[in-house]
Amino acid sequence: MKIILKTLLLVVVLSMLLGCGGGVKPTIFLHPDFNFSFIERVAVVPFENLSNEQGAAYRTTRLFISELFAAEAFEVVEPGETKRVIEKTGTVRTAELTKEQIISVGKELGVQALFMGSVNESTIQRSGTSSNAIVTLVVRMVETETGATIWSATNTETGKGFIRSVFGASDKSMSEVTRNCVKNTLRTLIK
Amino acid sequence: MKKLLHTFLFLFLLIHFLMDNTSASEPNLFSDFSQSEELALMPLYNLSGRSNAIRETSEKIGTILDSFGIQYKRSSDIRPILRKYRIRSSGSLKAEDIDQLRTELNVKYLMLGSVNIYEDRANPELSVSLRIINTETYMIESAVSKSASGRDFEGLFGLGVISVLDELSDKLLFESLNELFSDLEAHESEQKPSAVIIPFDNTTDFRNAGFILTNIFLTSLANDGYKVLEPGIVTEYMLRNRKILYGGIDYPTLDMLNAKHDIDLIVTGSIEFYQPSRGNNFPKAEIGTRVLDAKNAKIIFMYNNSVNGADSEALFGVGKKYSVGTIMKEYIDDFESKFKKKSEKYFAQKK
């Protein structure tokens, strides 16, 4: 009887930990036939901001480049140069480049792939004295020869987990949540 | 009885030691500047938003330079020349401005700087950045940035706190100028890579956060022995070509800098959070920096971090920082120590 009770308690605690902590898993697309070792040099097109927070896209783009650089998987083009070349295309919606624009930007920057994306949500939910930062990021990687998408991921991260909610540990800042979101998104591409 | 006496003696020495940390040391005499007026003191640039900051700081700097025995051309003598050539910003100078000032004033060095923070409150706060540039090479020869709030000097039992801005500025300016001129003499023979700092992007709500960080950064690098190009040269190029270098540096700008000046490194980045200390809140800042090899435009180092005044607390509140300038400097020191290891490896591989 005792063993059954203990097992039940363990199952309840485990399900609480798993159920409340993680949120939704990232949605991923990875091109099954593409040879990723072909990509050596990439550029990150400034992310588009679809959230209400001013500067969210700038911050996320910078953190994304930083994490990409830290992963040592690709050589990353200086963002100032990427911005100059993108500005030449005259586009406003940087997450939606046409096939021709992707090919021409890729040629000018000398890269094999471009990262493009948008920050769909960057908000802080307040409830009493506690706050909860939420970030949703949609990123994709397109190769610059044909403009085809070879990787895509959507990820949402929140600052609240089970431990933080129950034990009242300090809330994660927006920056920490954004960094986690970027890290976990990139982890689906670079192990 | 003896034990009691010993305890008293120990406590007396301890308190004396803690109090002694706040007293100013003896001034140095800098022989290079005592004979002729080779140095001109430019009017300081005000980033603090306080109208009295420049007048009061400049007066104190003048007094300290006099006490060092330094001969220099005063700001009041320079103002007519600035008006004549319409040099509007003395916070950073264009190459053309430097040439005109060298010819008119007949000086080898210009001393520039800014008052970054000047807060006269219960916990006063001051942050200054000063640099000496060579008018022939446009390079920064020596630089210093100092920031502190009165509570940064708090020792055990709350001893050592400075509660008057006047006292804080006396201490900070003396230390800054002493360091500035000592380093000028020490760095003359050093050979370190040359660097350009592209003004940091500011995505915070605080108007001057980017300029303050850029100033602290360039003084810190120059102080570490790097040959740093006067930032006004970059600004001049941006203005002439109607460019806004927001988000990084593009290759045409990089090519221009390489063509005109022999540059090894480009340093740039952004400040994304800036919160000065208010009441019992600790200051916070979030900064991202990257370094590029100027010869091939490769990013060779990136460093992002958040800094908080409470991070440096050792025990019972000792070590906490209440000045946002100080925590920004801590970030830069951390950056420099990490970059040093990385750059040594990178340049060794490159050779």
Side-chain angles (χ1 to χ4, degrees), chain B residues 71-88:
Chain B
Q71 301 288 316
Y72 64 98
K73 296 222 168 22
R74 286 157 202 274
S75 310
S76 50
D77 302 333
I78 300 166
R79 283 186 202 280
I81 297 162
L82 296 180
R83 273 197 291 272
K84 183 180 166 187
Y85 291 105
R86 298 187 175 206
I87 302 171
R88 290 175 199 277

Side-chain angles (χ1 to χ4, degrees), chain B residues 26-61:
Chain B
E26 286 295 307
N28 282 334
L29 288 174
F30 298 96
S31 53
D32 282 8
F33 296 97
S34 60
Q35 304 302 321
S36 60
E37 288 183 353
E38 279 209 326
L39 174 79
L41 173 60
M42 301 294 293
L44 297 175
Y45 193 60
N46 195 358
L47 294 171
S48 70
R50 306 284 174 216
S51 55
N52 56 339
I54 297 301
R55 186 172 46 83
E56 290 178 16
T57 312
S58 302
E59 276 172 15
K60 285 199 171 158
I61 288 178

Side-chain angles (χ1 to χ4, degrees), chain A residues 65-66 69-70 72 78, chain B residues 217 265-269 288-293 298-304 331-344 346-347:
Chain A
I65 295 170
S66 185
F69 186 74
E72 295 183 358
E78 160 60 18
Chain B
F217 229 111
L265 303 170
I266 304 281
V267 181
T268 190
T289 309
R290 63 181 180 279
V291 183
L292 283 87
D293 181 342
K298 261 190 182 176
I299 302 172
I300 56 173
F301 187 67
M302 272 185 105
Y303 184 58
N304 299 307
Y331 164 87
I332 295 166
D333 290 344
D334 203 18
F335 159 85
E336 280 180 345
S337 68
K338 288 185 167 67
F339 175 62
K340 200 178 169 189
K341 287 178 201 160
K342 177 82 182 174
S343 65
E344 278 168 5
Y346 175 79
F347 286 113

Side-chain angles (χ1 to χ4, degrees), chain B residues 53-258:
Chain B
I54 297 301
R55 186 172 46 83
E56 290 178 16
T57 312
S58 302
E59 276 172 15
K60 285 199 171 158
I61 288 178
T63 314
I64 296 168
L65 289 180
D66 290 339
S67 77
F68 285 172
I70 291 170
Q71 301 288 316
Y72 64 98
K73 296 222 168 22
R74 286 157 202 274
S75 310
S76 50
D77 302 333
I78 300 166
R79 283 186 202 280
I81 297 162
L82 296 180
R83 273 197 291 272
K84 183 180 166 187
Y85 291 105
R86 298 187 175 206
I87 302 171
R88 290 175 199 277
S89 171
S90 51
S92 60
L93 292 170
K94 297 181 279 183
E96 193 186 329
D97 298 341
I98 296 172
D99 291 341
Q100 279 163 343
L101 287 165
R102 184 184 61 230
T103 318
E104 284 278 345
L105 296 165
N106 192 25
V107 289
K108 189 181 174 189
Y109 298 108
L110 293 172
M111 185 169 142
L112 308 170
S114 60
V115 180
N116 306 324
I117 302 166
Y118 191 87
E119 294 292 337
D120 192 0
R121 52 180 187 227
N123 177 29
E125 188 175 350
L126 179 71
S127 171
V128 288
S129 297
L130 299 168
R131 62 185 186 275
I132 292 178
I133 57 167
N134 189 322
T135 54
E136 284 152 13
T137 60
Y138 313 134
M139 290 289 185
I140 297 168
E141 296 284 334
S142 174
V144 67
S145 253
K146 292 258 177 201
S147 311
S149 80
R151 287 186 70 183
D152 288 347
F153 301 95
E154 187 175 349
L156 279 176
F157 316 119
L159 289 170
V161 172
I162 299 174
S163 52
V164 183
L165 180 61
D166 211 31
E167 199 184 324
L168 180 69
S169 65
D170 276 343
K171 180 179 165 60
L172 219 64
L173 290 172
F174 179 88
E175 284 176 4
S176 304
L177 290 164
N178 200 8
E179 206 173 294
L180 187 74
F181 286 94
S182 305
D183 287 351
L184 184 66
E185 292 180 347
H187 283 164
E188 270 174 357
S189 58
E190 274 190 43
Q191 285 292 320
K192 274 218 171 183
S194 55
V196 166
I197 299 189
I198 306 298
F200 277 61
D201 295 341
N202 179 15
T203 61
T204 72
D205 298 332
F206 194 85
R207 196 162 64 99
N208 289 325
F211 292 121
I212 294 173
L213 177 65
T214 307
N215 277 346
I216 300 178
F217 229 111
L218 74 92
T219 52
S220 201
L221 283 181
N223 198 19
D224 207 29
Y226 288 92
K227 292 282 172 205
V228 184
L229 188 70
E230 168 58 21
I233 312 282
V234 184
T235 314
E236 178 186 21
Y237 174 82
M238 284 156 65
L239 289 172
R240 282 209 176 141
N241 294 283
R242 295 181 181 181
K243 277 192 172 201
I244 301 168
L245 289 183
Y246 194 83
I249 186 168
D250 53 42
Y251 291 174
T253 310
L254 199 61
D255 291 343
M256 180 284 299
L257 287 170
N258 268 327

Side-chain angles (χ1 to χ4, degrees), chain A:
Chain A
M1 188 64 188
K2 264 188 178 178
I3 292 174
I4 296 170
L5 269 173
K6 274 183 182 173
T7 317
L8 268 176
L9 191 69
L10 188 72
V11 168
V12 168
V13 169
L14 268 176
S15 59
M16 278 171 80
L17 278 170
L18 292 171
C20 305
V24 187
K25 276 187 176 180
T27 310
I28 315 152
F29 161 75
L30 201 62
H31 198 293
D33 304 325
F34 191 81
N35 180 8
F36 281 85
S37 61
F38 160 71
I39 297 168
E40 285 179 357
R41 190 174 147 95
V42 296
V44 180
V45 177
F47 292 165
E48 205 175 331
N49 192 7
L50 302 178
S51 77
N52 289 330
E53 194 208 353
Q54 204 186 348
Y58 180 93
R59 183 180 60 235
T60 313
T61 310
R62 183 183 62 78
L63 288 172
F64 191 88
I65 295 170
S66 185
E67 290 297 334
L68 205 55
F69 186 74
E72 295 183 358
F74 312 109
E75 187 190 321
V76 187
V77 176
E78 160 60 18
E81 175 65 4
T82 311
K83 189 172 157 259
R84 183 186 72 84
V85 175
I86 292 290
E87 275 170 1
K88 273 168 68 176
T89 63
T91 185
V92 181
R93 302 209 62 182
T94 52
E96 292 173 5
L97 295 179
T98 62
K99 185 182 161 187
E100 288 73 30
Q101 283 170 334
I102 290 169
I103 294 168
S104 105
V105 167
K107 257 188 196 162
E108 188 154 352
L109 289 172
V111 295
Q112 290 86 42
L114 293 176
F115 282 98
M116 297 192 284
S118 58
V119 180
N120 288 14
E121 190 178 12
S122 178
T123 185
I124 293 180
Q125 285 181 341
R126 293 188 196 282
S127 164
T129 52
S130 74
S131 57
N132 183 22
I134 304 171
V135 175
T136 302
L137 180 64
V138 179
V139 201
R140 68 183 198 279
M141 189 186 200
V142 292
E143 58 105 357
T144 53
E145 261 185 23
T146 61
T149 300
I150 50 175
W151 167 78
S152 173
T154 304
N155 189 20
T156 299
E157 291 282 331
T158 72
K160 273 269 186 271
F162 173 75
I163 305 282
R164 282 176 191 271
S165 302
V166 172
F167 298 102
S170 64
D171 302 317
K172 277 186 191 170
S173 69
M174 177 58 86
S175 167
E176 281 176 284
V177 176
T178 312
R179 193 179 288 187
N180 276 350
C181 186
V182 166
K183 252 186 195 170
N184 292 337
T185 310
L186 265 177
R187 213 169 275 168
T188 64
L189 175 70
I190 307 159
K191 301 287 174 197

